[in-house]
């Protein structure tokens, strides 16, 4: 009989314990629901707001606009600096090319006197003289070197007189008006730039 009573009390205790557990679960679920509702943005408003929001959207927008303006200005400055660098580089290249092209101007101009002397020697020499052939070869070699370095002959006989390339030193009665008749001294150019004008007589 005592054993039956003990079993009965044990069953009652288990039932009581199960009820307490269920109560705790239900209580825990209600706390979770309350918490979720409390932090729900739709419920988190008004005087009972739990999460305060001090962010000023207008301030952020103004700062973003300011940063965008700074980035734009930086890009413009970079583009301007790149353009200036490019232009400076082109100017340097042009000056270097110009200096390279005309570096021999003074030297070549002095060599023209040598060319003139060789040509006069050839004109006045005996064609059968072996020395004359050597002078001709020397003259040809010198002209070839000058041509390779951009020096070209300006020999305008029969052409229209051009004061930019010709220097009139007399009148040629046999030549048509404003036409080069006699070339007294050849002219030369260096890479398209006049090195020495041709001395000519012009028809009147």
């Amino acid at each position: 009989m005592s054993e039956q009573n003990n079993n009965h009390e044990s069953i009652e205790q288990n039932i009581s314990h199960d009820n307490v557990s269920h109560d705790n679960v239900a209580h825990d679920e209600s706390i979770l629901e309350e918490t979720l509702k409390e932090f729900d943005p739709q419920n988190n408003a008004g005087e009972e707001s739990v999460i305060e929001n001090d962010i000023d959207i207008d301030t952020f927008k103004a700062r973003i606009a300011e940063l965008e303006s700074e980035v734009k200005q930086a890009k413009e400055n970079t583009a301007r600096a790149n353009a200036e660098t490019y232009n400076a580089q082109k100017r340097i290249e042009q000056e270097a090319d110009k200096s390279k092209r005309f570096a021999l101007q003074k030297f070549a101009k002095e060599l023209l006197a040598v060319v003139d002397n060789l040509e006069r020697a050839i004109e006045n020499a005996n064609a059968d003289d072996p020395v004359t052939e050597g002078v001709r070869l020397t003259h040809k070699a010198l002209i070839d070197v000058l041509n390779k370095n951009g020096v070209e002959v300006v020999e305008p006989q029969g052409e229209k007189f051009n004061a930019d390339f010709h220097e009139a030193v007399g009148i040629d009665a046999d030549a048509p008006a404003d036409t080069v008749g006699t070339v007294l001294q050849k002219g030369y150019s260096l890479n398209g730039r006049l090195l020495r004008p041709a001395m000519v007589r012009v028809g009147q």
Side-chain angles (χ1 to χ4, degrees):
M1 191 67 184
S2 174
E3 182 177 352
Q4 290 180 349
N5 289 336
N6 289 335
N7 290 336
H8 181 71
E9 289 177 358
S10 175
I11 292 171
E12 289 181 351
Q13 288 177 357
N14 289 336
I15 293 174
S16 175
H17 177 71
D18 289 341
N19 288 336
V20 171
S21 297
H22 287 305
D23 290 342
N24 288 339
V25 170
H27 184 65
D28 289 343
E29 288 180 352
S30 63
I31 292 176
L32 178 60
E33 290 176 357
E34 290 177 0
T35 303
L36 292 175
K37 289 180 180 179
E38 182 179 1
F39 286 92
D40 188 341
Q42 295 181 352
N43 300 323
N44 185 27
E47 296 180 356
E48 297 179 354
S49 176
V50 175
I51 303 176
E52 296 183 358
N53 187 353
D54 294 332
I55 298 175
D56 187 349
I57 300 299
D58 292 336
T59 301
F60 273 87
K61 288 181 178 180
R63 181 55 178 160
I64 291 172
E66 181 180 351
L67 292 174
E68 289 177 345
S69 177
E70 292 178 359
V71 171
K72 181 180 179 181
Q73 185 64 40
K75 289 182 178 180
E76 291 177 354
N77 292 340
T78 301
R80 190 178 299 108
N82 289 339
E84 291 176 356
T85 301
Y86 177 80
N87 292 333
Q89 181 179 356
K90 285 300 179 183
R91 284 194 296 270
I92 292 172
E93 290 176 355
Q94 290 174 357
E95 289 297 326
D97 181 63
K98 186 177 179 181
S99 298
K100 181 180 178 181
R101 289 172 60 192
F102 301 110
L104 296 175
Q105 182 171 341
K106 183 178 179 181
F107 179 66
K109 194 170 184 178
E110 292 177 352
L111 283 180
L112 296 182
V114 179
V115 174
D116 293 338
N117 290 333
L118 290 174
E119 290 177 349
R120 281 192 285 268
I122 293 171
E123 290 174 1
N124 297 319
N126 187 345
D128 296 331
D129 188 345
V131 176
T132 304
E133 184 62 23
V135 174
R136 286 197 184 96
L137 292 175
T138 302
H139 174 265
K140 183 179 183 303
L142 182 56
I143 292 297
D144 288 343
V145 171
L146 290 173
N147 289 341
K148 287 180 181 179
N149 287 276
V151 178
E152 299 291 340
V153 177
V154 177
E155 191 172 5
Q157 188 169 9
E159 296 180 359
K160 197 75 173 176
F161 176 76
N162 185 343
D164 292 333
F165 294 96
H166 314 145
E167 181 180 354
V169 294
I171 301 298
D172 189 333
D174 297 328
D178 295 327
T179 302
V180 175
T182 305
V183 178
L184 302 177
Q185 186 183 63
K186 296 176 183 178
Y188 291 88
S189 64
L190 174 62
N191 293 317
R193 174 188 288 183
L194 185 64
L195 188 61
R196 186 183 77 181
M199 295 176 61
V200 301
R201 290 196 180 103
V202 185
Q204 190 174 17

